[in-house]
Amino acid sequence: MRFVRKKLVQLLLVLLAVTFLSFFFLNLLPGNTAQVLCGAGGGPECVEQKTKELGLDKPLPVRYGEWLRDAVTGDLGASARNQQPVWEAIKQRMPVTIELLIYSQFIALAVSIPLAIIAAQRPGGIFDRVSTSVAFALLSVPNFILAIVLILIFAVNLGWFPATGYAEFFTDPIKNLHDLFLPALTLAVAEMAVYLRLLRTDLIATLQEDYIMMAKAKGLPSRRILLRHAFRPSTFSLVTVAGLNMGRLIGGTFIVEVIFAINGIGKYVVDSILARDYIPVQGGVVIIAVGYVLINFAVDMFYAVLDPRIRHARALA
């Protein structure tokens, strides 16, 4: 319980810091929502009137305090462009963003774990060297470049996948997974390379432990030693990094959702930034921050389940 309370306090502090800093930096950007709503021919009178209507003439701490008071009750404000409540808009877009994150992690883990196990069996072998070189190469490719390359190859030239758009999951699950494969793969490639290198290194180190040598001396099959005795203790770092990467992947979805025209939270935030409609941006930042902290909390819990030493240490704390 002490650990949970500590994490909850950290959650509140992080949220306060993130929301205030995002509010502050958005206020520094040139132009404001009132100017956008009035347009080029609105004139100073229109801008002044809209500024008062939106409360933009109030001091920044006052506006932040009012926003925070409403956000605590679940009211994240409304878009100045169409008056749609921000929370309603985010709820509509959240499922596809979450699906994209889970889908990309599934691809990354499904590919990297078998490759890491094969590479760890013969360190320095041909497969190990080739996989290491490919992993480093993939890490150096930015998401937006990779997305364009994948679209050109698999959508434009081969026609295997759509370049933009997708079917709703509950309408046609198979087509949904097919349509979202390229965006998920774009996000997964860099993670795949990291997981491969991390698990390979940990597996090689674990295979040098005394209890593994003892198992080998007893004549246990190599596959059983690798999968049953070495794999689980080698996944601690992988679990931690995979959880932390979920937060980083949320940022990656911004670019991917825009390129592939996926109507998720990332595209919603980017569209709002371009329209200088800052209330939706603030709401999107809060949701992303909450998701990031909750994912880290879940990773800490799962880490304790995997490693009994951490669980006992926390129990004694």
Side-chain angles (χ1 to χ4, degrees):
M1 287 303 296
R2 182 178 177 182
F3 174 72
V4 174
R5 285 197 298 271
K6 182 180 177 183
K7 283 294 177 182
L8 289 176
V9 171
Q10 290 178 351
L11 169 66
L12 291 176
L13 293 176
V14 169
L15 289 179
L16 283 174
V18 168
T19 54
F20 179 77
L21 289 175
S22 61
F23 216 90
F24 176 75
F25 286 118
L26 287 173
N27 190 67
L28 296 179
L29 295 177
N32 58 40
T33 307
Q35 292 174 334
V36 175
L37 291 176
C38 290
E45 295 79 9
C46 176
V47 174
E48 184 178 357
Q49 182 183 351
K50 290 292 181 184
T51 299
K52 289 183 179 178
E53 289 177 2
L54 297 172
L56 299 176
D57 56 337
K58 297 178 182 177
L60 178 65
V62 175
R63 280 190 283 138
Y64 174 71
E66 292 177 348
W67 176 87
L68 187 61
R69 179 198 60 202
D70 295 336
V72 170
T73 63
D75 180 7
L76 295 176
S79 167
R81 291 172 294 167
N82 53 24
Q83 300 305 311
Q84 183 185 25
V86 172
W87 176 235
E88 291 297 325
I90 289 176
K91 276 199 301 183
Q92 293 173 2
R93 293 162 173 79
M94 190 181 294
V96 68
T97 298
I98 293 176
E99 182 192 353
L100 194 58
L101 292 173
I102 295 174
Y103 197 4
S104 63
Q105 285 286 56
F106 175 79
I107 294 174
L109 291 171
V111 173
S112 61
I113 289 176
L115 294 181
I117 291 174
I118 296 172
Q121 288 179 309
R122 295 184 183 277
I126 294 177
F127 184 86
D128 185 29
R129 282 182 288 176
V130 171
S131 62
T132 300
S133 302
V134 173
F136 277 121
L138 292 176
L139 275 174
S140 63
V141 181
N143 271 353
F144 67 94
I145 297 291
L146 182 62
I148 293 171
V149 171
L150 290 176
I151 288 174
L152 288 175
I153 295 175
F154 295 105
V156 177
N157 291 325
L158 298 177
W160 291 354
F161 301 96
T164 58
Y166 61 97
E168 296 289 342
F169 182 81
F170 292 106
T171 304
D172 190 340
I174 302 300
K175 190 172 189 312
N176 170 270
L177 294 176
H178 173 267
D179 293 349
L180 290 179
F181 181 75
L182 285 188
L185 181 62
T186 303
L187 288 172
V189 165
E191 311 309 316
M192 198 186 302
V194 173
Y195 299 160
L196 168 62
R197 296 295 306 153
L198 190 64
L199 183 58
R200 170 211 172 262
T201 303
D202 286 350
L203 273 172
I204 292 174
T206 305
L207 289 171
Q208 306 300 318
E209 295 285 343
D210 292 341
Y211 72 95
I212 296 292
M213 298 299 177
M214 181 69 72
K216 290 180 178 177
K218 288 181 178 178
L220 293 178
S222 300
R223 178 173 296 182
R224 183 177 177 184
I225 293 173
L226 183 65
L227 299 180
R228 188 164 180 176
H229 299 286
F231 180 71
R232 179 176 167 177
S234 302
T235 57
F236 296 158
S237 301
L238 178 65
V239 170
T240 304
V241 171
L244 295 176
N245 279 355
M246 285 291 283
R248 194 168 63 84
L249 280 174
I250 294 174
T253 61
F254 280 42
I255 298 173
V256 170
E257 288 181 0
V258 170
I259 293 176
F260 288 93
I262 297 171
N263 201 22
I265 297 176
K267 187 172 185 299
Y268 178 62
V269 171
V270 172
D271 290 344
S272 300
I273 291 173
L274 295 176
R276 297 176 185 172
D277 190 1
Y278 296 141
I279 295 299
V281 178
Q282 187 72 25
V285 169
V286 170
I287 296 302
I288 291 169
V290 170
Y292 185 79
V293 176
L294 289 180
I295 289 170
N296 280 296
F297 178 76
V299 170
D300 280 341
M301 295 291 102
F302 191 59
Y303 200 82
V305 172
L306 279 178
D307 192 343
R309 293 169 300 180
I310 295 178
R311 187 165 63 247
H312 294 325
R314 286 171 180 169
L316 295 173

